[in-house]
Amino acid sequence: MLIKRRIKLPSLPVKLGLSFSLLLIGCNSKVIDSTENTYQPINLAEVKGILIGNDPEALTLDLFGKKETIEGKFSQETKVLKEGGFEKTVILTQLNLPDDSVKGIRYRLKFQFDQSIGKWRLKEVGRQQSCQRSDSSTHWTIEPCP
């Protein structure tokens, strides 16, 4: 049986306010785009280190985190975007790099829980960067920085 429901749409000022709010949220640099196609894929065969472990965040830092002390306002943080079930997506963001062209690097790592061994396995990884000499300091790209 098919049930049809009519929903009354909000008036025009409410629609515009909602659209404007969504636009502002989209411009916020804290919003993380985790879409696969916005990251340049990295071949797992080229990743140096152990790709299997107990904690995806720890694996992320072991594989791509900066271990040496970096002068200035360098910061590095991880965030789990998708948690639950047998998959986790971790974003590692590194900002204020001591590079005259690359301001920041962001990695997106997708892990899958392998029940046969009881550990997390890295399935795919991608990379973006933010450029020092960019028109927008919060713009992330896969294009080379000038």
Side-chain angles (χ1 to χ4, degrees), residues 39-82:
Y39 287 80
Q40 180 178 13
I42 296 174
N43 185 344
L44 290 180
E46 296 173 8
V47 176
K48 302 211 182 324
I50 298 172
L51 309 181
I52 300 170
N54 293 321
D55 179 11
E57 282 185 275
L59 283 169
T60 297
L61 289 170
D62 286 345
L63 293 169
F64 296 101
K66 300 285 187 199
K67 292 153 188 75
E68 68 277 359
T69 303
I70 297 177
E71 293 182 22
K73 296 180 180 181
F74 173 76
S75 67
Q76 167 172 276
E77 78 173 356
T78 59
K79 182 174 181 138
V80 178
L81 294 182
K82 195 175 184 184

Side-chain angles (χ1 to χ4, degrees), residues 3 15 19-20 23 29 32 46 48 52 54 57 59-60 62 67 80 84 87 90 104 108 115 117-118 132 137 142:
I3 299 174
K15 286 182 195 175
S19 297
F20 186 68
L23 179 63
S29 63
I32 296 175
E46 296 173 8
K48 302 211 182 324
I52 300 170
N54 293 321
E57 282 185 275
L59 283 169
T60 297
D62 286 345
K67 292 153 188 75
V80 178
E87 288 190 353
V90 180
R108 177 189 177 277
Q115 292 179 345
I117 59 173
Q132 294 282 15
S137 62
I142 61 172

Side-chain angles (χ1 to χ4, degrees), residues 8-35:
K8 184 178 177 185
L9 296 175
S11 65
L12 185 58
V14 172
K15 286 182 195 175
L16 290 176
L18 180 60
S19 297
F20 186 68
S21 297
L22 291 174
L23 179 63
L24 287 177
I25 289 170
C27 293
N28 184 344
S29 63
K30 293 288 184 187
V31 174
I32 296 175
D33 183 1
S34 66
T35 312

